[in-house]
């Protein structure tokens, strides 16, 4: 992972050595059960797989590295705060505005309008279309990150999130990922939603 980060930075004329320490320490934080290096590695593998869809793959890769750098389950501004760190790192390059917008696309609050924003949004949610077992593990990890939230409250808020995803016309914006992941994602989301229903 370190060599990939440093190679990316070198290709852009950046020294990523000091920032690597921040990346390493953040994603290895013990309270992160899901939003850790495994998630970043998964996102990078998806970018590699769908590289042909990217108009600016280096910018997307930068955004992937930074998009969950700040992660506090008590905060509602993690993506924006992560984008601020990215902008600071990239402030002397031409990429900082584009990377900021790509990171903000992972808030999933509205439909991205740019192709690369749509791609990174899909990559960030690709876990939803994984196998049933992998999805169950993901949902357990999310619960662990929010273990401080009482079950009733967590289930209520989680139901709202799942229902908003299911209510979308499509979960995935790119045709290729939609074709591959949409059906399984909807099945996984529905199964989790059903598990929270009050009897």
């Amino acid at each position: 992972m370190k060599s990939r980060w440093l190679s990316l930075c070198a290709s852009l004329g950046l020294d990523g050595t000091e920032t690597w320490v921040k990346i390493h320490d953040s994603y290895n934080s013990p309270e992160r059960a899901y939003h850790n290096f495994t998630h970043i590695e998964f996102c990078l593998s998806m970018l590699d797989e769908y590289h042909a869809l990217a108009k600016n793959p280096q910018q997307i890769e930068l955004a992937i590295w930074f998009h969950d750098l700040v992660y506090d389950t008590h905060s509602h501004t993690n993506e924006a705060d992560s984008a601020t760190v990215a902008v600071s790192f990239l402030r002397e390059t031409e990429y900082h505005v584009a990377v900021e917008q790509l990171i903000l696309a992972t808030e999933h609050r509205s439909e991205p309008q740019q192709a690369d924003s749509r791609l990174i949004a899909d990559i960030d949610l690709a876990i939803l279309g994984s196998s049933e077992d992998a999805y169950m593990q993901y949902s357990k990890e999310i619960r662990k990150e929010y273990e401080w939230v009482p079950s009733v409250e967590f289930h209520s808020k989680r139901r709202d999130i799942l229902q908003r995803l299911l209510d979308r016309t499509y979960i995935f914006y790119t045709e290729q990922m939609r074709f591959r992941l949409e059906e399984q994602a909807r099945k996984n989301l529905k199964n989790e939603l059903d598990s929270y229903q009050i009897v």
Side-chain angles (χ1 to χ4, degrees):
M1 293 285 280
K2 181 179 180 180
S3 61
R4 177 162 183 162
W5 164 255
L6 293 177
S7 294
L8 172 64
C9 291
S11 72
L12 299 170
L14 298 168
D15 181 0
T17 306
E18 183 176 340
T19 302
W20 169 255
V21 177
K22 183 180 295 184
I23 289 172
H24 177 273
D25 291 349
S26 295
Y27 288 116
N28 279 309
S29 181
E31 66 269 16
R32 294 182 183 231
Y34 175 73
H35 292 89
N36 51 30
F37 258 137
T38 301
H39 173 57
I40 299 303
E41 190 170 15
F42 174 76
C43 289
L44 291 172
S45 71
M46 294 299 291
L47 175 60
D48 292 342
E49 185 170 352
Y50 291 94
H51 188 272
L53 300 182
K55 294 184 180 297
N56 300 283
Q58 289 178 316
Q59 294 176 12
I60 296 176
E61 182 165 350
L62 283 167
I64 287 173
W65 281 106
F66 280 102
H67 81 287
D68 284 325
L69 189 65
V70 177
Y71 187 71
D72 177 359
T73 55
H74 294 81
S75 172
H76 298 290
T77 61
N78 288 320
E79 291 84 3
D81 294 339
S82 296
T84 297
V85 178
V87 168
S88 178
F89 176 67
L90 299 168
R91 63 185 177 275
E92 296 181 0
T93 75
E94 61 183 302
Y95 310 113
H96 65 279
V97 174
V99 172
E100 178 183 27
Q101 293 305 307
L102 289 168
I103 293 171
L104 293 178
T106 66
E107 291 179 316
H108 307 290
R109 293 180 180 174
S110 59
E111 181 174 347
Q113 299 304 306
Q114 303 300 320
D116 282 353
S117 292
R118 295 163 76 86
L119 178 57
I120 194 173
D122 281 2
I123 287 172
D124 191 41
L125 293 183
I127 188 66
L128 303 183
S130 60
S131 69
E132 184 175 346
D133 287 344
Y135 182 90
M136 288 179 64
Q137 181 61 33
Y138 147 78
S139 64
K140 289 177 182 178
E141 290 166 353
I142 294 296
R143 182 64 181 111
K144 186 175 181 180
E145 290 183 341
Y146 285 87
E147 62 184 357
W148 58 271
V149 180
S151 293
V152 172
E153 181 182 353
F154 177 82
H155 292 171
S156 176
K157 292 184 176 180
R158 187 68 178 165
R159 282 198 302 268
D160 289 344
I161 292 170
L162 299 173
Q163 192 61 61
R164 283 199 300 271
L165 286 166
L166 287 168
D167 286 345
R168 283 162 49 162
T169 303
Y170 297 111
I171 295 170
F172 299 100
Y173 300 112
T174 60
E175 290 185 10
Q176 293 86 339
M177 293 183 73
R178 187 185 306 152
F179 176 79
R180 174 183 169 186
L181 302 173
E182 185 84 18
E183 183 176 356
Q184 184 63 38
R186 289 188 174 276
K187 179 180 178 181
N188 288 334
L189 293 169
K190 184 65 164 56
N191 287 341
E192 185 182 357
L193 183 63
D194 288 346
S195 74
Y196 296 139
Q197 298 305 314
I198 300 174
V199 179

